[in-house]
Amino acid sequence: MRHFLTSLYLLGTFLHTLTKCTMSATDFHLDGDYLIGGLFNIHYAHGGIYQTKPQAIDCSSQPFSLSDYRRFQMMRFAVEQINNSTYILPNVSLGYEIFDHCSDTKNFPGILNLISVNGLIRPWFEPLKNFSRVMAVVGPFTSTDALTIAPLFMTDLIPMVSYGVGSSRLSNKIKFPSFLRTVHSNDGMIEVIVKIIVHFNWRWVAFLNSDNDYGRDGLDLFIKKIDGTDICLAYTNALNDNTNYSQIFEPIEAQKIHVVIVFAPEATSEALVETAVQVNFRNKVWIACDTWSINKRLSKMKGIRNIGTVLGVSQPVETVPGFNNFIYSTKRQTFFKNEAQTGFCNQACNCSYVTPEDIISADASYSFTVYSAVYAIAHGLHNALQCGDGKCSDKITLFPYMVLEELQKSNFTLLNQNIQFDENGDFKSGSYSVVFWNQTGDAQEIGFYSFYPSLQFFINNTMIKWYTDGDVPTSLCSAECPVGYVQKQTGIHKCCFNCEICPNGTYINITEDRYNCINCKDTQWSKKGSISCDLRVVEYMPFTDNWAILIMVGAWALVGMTLSMSVLFVVNYNTPVVKSAGGPMCFLILGCLSLSSLSVFFYFGKPTVAFCVLRYLPFLLFYTICLACFVVRSFQIVCIFKIAAQIPKLHSWWMKYHGQHLVITVAFITEAFLLLISYSYAAPKPYQNKVWYPDKILLDCEINPKAISCSVILPLLLCSLCFAFSYMGKDLPKNYNEAKAITFCLLLLILTWIVFVTQYMLYRGKFILMFNALAVLSSLYCFLLWYFLPKCYIIIFQPHRNTPKYFQSLIQNYTKTISQ
């Protein structure tokens, strides 16, 4: 009942306006077997129009649009061409009923006429015979018009094939099942605009859109398209009849925006650009949508060069053969007659002053889309009527939904263009042209964006003459960061930032993330401000290194010397020098020094678990025995000359229980036990030192400080005792200098490790292993050279000092000195 009452109201409006608007209808109506409707904005109703009673607007009293009038004539031409064809609809004539649709809210009589049957609008559920006499409709041109009137056609699935509507909302087939278009939706238009911006590396842009369905849809799509890109929408404003255009330019100038996108109908865009010229808004890049990108009046306007460079996206202008002849012939027949004929409301045009030349030279954009829309409907009728062999079937009762079904399956070639629709009714093939307003005021094609058969985008930069007279203008909130710097956002826009250099160990990859420094892997390194990481150099001391070879030769030399000295001491075993050096203990010391030198060889080569263990174990174990021997030897020297006379019981106890053997054995067992505990708790193991040098990985052995301290305590204690006892014997006979020799050796030993520890704290490169091996070798040579070598010298070169008589005289002289 509600739909019925609504229909009665609309029909009342329709009948009222029928009596009001009586104009010439010669060009608006053509009889035929099948009618198609046409909706064209031959006139535009600007501003608010207030009425006190329900009546339609008189479009002919509104401003005239020459480009839309050309499209109107294109529909008439297409229908005439189809009727003259013997292939598309051979024995069927095609008629039309066209209306001037100048307003989206006060222009319903034409719509009601198209959906009515014999002047009546019947409920949808009545028999099919009451369907509209119109099989399909070409139009309307604007998104708001389509969204307003489309529901009236959707109910009966009357196909609407628009030649200009861009709103993506009409791709919703649930709400608009019978809507199709021979233009691409705003989604395609915005896609091209974004590609242009990306192509020229502009990131700081303004978007001015009309305050209607078309403009708001464009803005929403633009915001979605730039999400995830480097483009920032710095400023946006919705334009309507109440907008003060001159005030729009102030914030654009203040924010230093150099790229302005204007997404609005032709009339709105004209008003905006004219104001820009008037207020001397200069030196910007303007990106025009297809509604005004090839506007001939604006492109040749005085002072238009001052506003900057104008680029645009336009529908490709296809030359339709025969159209110019049609316009000239139509002028002779109907342009200046039939003014008295009566037609339906808004089927008139006060355009007697328009010449054929005016029409032919008018903006030709969307002309081909009108032409292809009419042909798409004709092909739909052709298939629905099963036309072929020079005739169409006269036994088929045709309904609009049948035409819709065939329209959706359209696939034909028109003027070398493939005409197809996708599942949403959007134009599947075709392309956009990228244009530039050159110095002569023409919209010169400089590139394209092709949809079919594959997506392709191209711009010829050399064809553009920028307002800068040279390089491409820039539009950035913040200047590009130097190489190796990241962007740290300031404010709400990611395009506004400060530049910070990436520190050592990090790099920046602007293709992945221009806002954060990326850490290098553990095996890589980088300098400050790097854009990539380099592999770290793996370092260790190889066996083939010159220093390693030299140290190992020194270790073998030490082994050779200990063997030689052992042979010499065996030969001279019963001499005083050998006995004073320790007698049998000398061979134990020399053997332990040789075994300790094994550690030296494991400081070189790539570390393994075995290498790490053997790097410390021989030295700590056998050197401890050496130190224990020297503790015993220094104690014995002091005991003989000082303690024996003062504490005879201690001396006798020492001699009775073989104190020297006991001390050495206890020291050996204790150190072996401590090493076992230490290695059981945390044995040395290979590790990669990645901390000390950023560009190197040092292969070394990891030592647990707690574990190693356990096994180092005893050698340190023995060293301290040895030093104490040997120091006590510093005043022994001048020529009987074992205690002094031991003291000197210990001083060299302590100095060696002080130097090494200092070096270790300052340097951790691969040569620290060489220094460590050298410190071990030096520790061994201290006793070999300064304790044993002098005795070898006496044995070989001063045998007269290696006699019992000589030693007795030294002891007697020392005893006399003490007693005095």
Side-chain angles (χ1 to χ4, degrees), residues 68 101 136 210 238 241 248 278 301 316 372 387 525 545 578 656 701:
D68 282 280
H101 196 74
S210 54
D241 295 330
I248 290 176
Q278 292 171 6
M301 179 181 176
S372 56
C387 299
W525 75 286
D545 188 87
V578 174
K656 179 180 180 180
C701 293

Side-chain angles (χ1 to χ4, degrees), residues 53-112:
K53 56 184 178 179
Q55 62 182 22
I57 188 173
D58 180 7
C59 287
S60 62
S61 64
Q62 301 301 315
F64 174 73
S65 172
L66 182 60
S67 56
D68 282 280
Y69 185 69
R70 175 191 169 97
R71 293 162 197 149
F72 158 76
Q73 293 293 346
M74 182 60 73
M75 177 176 174
R76 296 182 62 243
F77 166 69
V79 172
E80 180 180 289
Q81 197 175 58
I82 291 167
N83 285 335
N84 292 332
S85 170
T86 58
Y87 165 72
I88 300 179
L89 297 171
N91 60 333
V92 174
S93 62
L94 188 61
Y96 55 75
E97 196 74 49
I98 304 176
F99 293 92
D100 185 1
H101 196 74
C102 64
S103 171
D104 56 350
T105 57
K106 300 175 175 64
N107 208 8
F108 281 92
I111 308 303
L112 299 174

Side-chain angles (χ1 to χ4, degrees), residues 344-356:
F344 193 72
C345 181
N346 290 330
Q347 287 187 318
C349 174
N350 295 329
C351 49
S352 58
Y353 60 89
V354 178
T355 66

Side-chain angles (χ1 to χ4, degrees), residues 35 89 192 225 239 258 267 379 540:
L35 284 181
L89 297 171
V192 183
K225 293 283 185 184
L239 311 177
H258 296 146
H379 276 270
Y540 61 92

Side-chain angles (χ1 to χ4, degrees), residues 712-741:
V712 173
I713 290 175
L714 183 58
L716 290 176
L717 178 61
L718 292 174
C719 186
S720 300
L721 285 173
C722 185
F723 185 82
F725 287 138
S726 62
Y727 186 77
M728 289 170 64
K730 67 181 185 301
D731 57 345
L732 293 177
K734 181 178 180 182
N735 291 326
Y736 193 80
N737 54 7
E738 278 83 355
K740 293 180 180 179

